[in-house]
Amino acid sequence: MLLLTSALHAQTPAKFKIAGLVKDTSGTGIPGVSVYFANNRAVGTATDSDGKFVIEAANGDVIVLSSIGFMEQRFTANANDRQVSFRLRPSEGSISEVVVTAFGKRNAGRPW
């Protein structure tokens, strides 16, 4: 049993952390960029308010950077590249303005 457990453990790829920074073409960090694995969109993270992220990956994992208004970018994780930086280009069909409209119901006599 012990030998079987160690054989399975040896086949699991070694994971390592990748720290990244995502900027736009002017050099400003982009917040809220989705950073996820190409083969599993459910596993990932998002950039913080400065465009920084940290993700744990294995050699050869394909990681996708995606954000509304920007072209998607992919890169392959490499244990030698623990710190990475990206510049996302605006997508050609990007939207210039978003209008948010909210509808609600308010009962008389209540402040909310």
Side-chain angles (χ1 to χ4, degrees):
M1 244 349 196
L2 184 57
L3 292 174
L4 180 61
T5 304
S6 37
L8 288 175
H9 181 67
Q11 294 175 356
T12 305
K15 298 268 186 176
F16 53 91
K17 288 186 179 182
I18 298 173
L21 176 60
V22 183
K23 298 178 183 180
D24 62 15
T25 53
S26 68
T28 304
I30 307 172
V33 175
S34 296
V35 182
Y36 57 88
F37 294 98
N39 64 350
N40 188 355
R41 289 177 163 246
V43 178
T45 187
T47 58
D48 66 10
S49 60
D50 297 322
K52 297 177 184 177
F53 71 90
V54 175
I55 193 166
E56 193 170 6
N59 255 345
D61 282 346
V62 176
I63 300 171
V64 180
L65 304 169
S66 175
S67 184
I68 295 174
F70 293 93
M71 294 177 67
E72 181 179 280
Q73 190 166 343
R74 294 171 179 248
F75 73 98
T76 302
N78 183 334
N80 296 326
D81 298 328
R82 301 290 176 102
Q83 291 189 338
V84 292
S85 182
F86 302 94
R87 287 198 187 249
L88 295 186
R89 292 180 295 161
S91 61
E92 291 185 22
S94 65
I95 50 179
S96 60
E97 185 176 332
V98 176
V99 177
V100 178
T101 305
F103 295 97
K105 181 178 176 183
R106 181 173 162 200
N107 293 332
R110 292 189 181 175
W112 62 91

